[in-house]
Amino acid sequence: MAVRLRLKRTGRTNRAAYRIVAADAHAPRGGRVIENLGFYEPCQPDDKPQVEIDVERAKYWLSVGAEATETVASILKKHGVDARTK
């Protein structure tokens, strides 16, 4: 099974929120996930965190061969995790 770290869209119309998840690469965007790793809320006010991620679990998934999408890779890079594909 090919695992990909990607965003799962949640939230309401015109106010998107995303969960950072490990999911099967062939599953649909809003489909079943293997594990929730955190969230990303771009519309969040400044006094609340926009991103929260379990860095250790993200490192684990990358170490066992999961690929991160471009957006998730940039979020992980801001948290000190190198998610480049080999």
Side-chain angles (χ1 to χ4, degrees), residues 2 5 7 10 12 15-16 19 23 26 30 33 36 47 50 56 61 64 72-73 76-77 79 81:
L5 302 181
L7 298 176
T10 60
R12 63 178 198 241
R15 188 160 169 91
R19 289 185 183 149
H26 302 292
V33 301
N36 286 314
D47 59 335
Q50 266 191 330
E56 293 303 315
W61 281 109
V64 296
V72 173
L76 289 173
K77 185 176 179 182
H79 284 82
V81 178

Side-chain angles (χ1 to χ4, degrees), residues 30-46:
R32 196 171 59 129
V33 301
I34 300 169
E35 182 178 2
N36 286 314
L37 302 175
F39 66 83
Y40 169 55
E41 296 186 21
C43 299
Q44 194 69 285
D46 290 336

Side-chain angles (χ1 to χ4, degrees), residues 64-85:
V64 296
E67 295 180 8
T69 61
E70 189 175 321
T71 306
V72 173
S74 68
I75 291 170
L76 289 173
K77 185 176 179 182
K78 292 176 185 176
H79 284 82
V81 178
D82 185 18
R84 289 182 295 170
T85 57

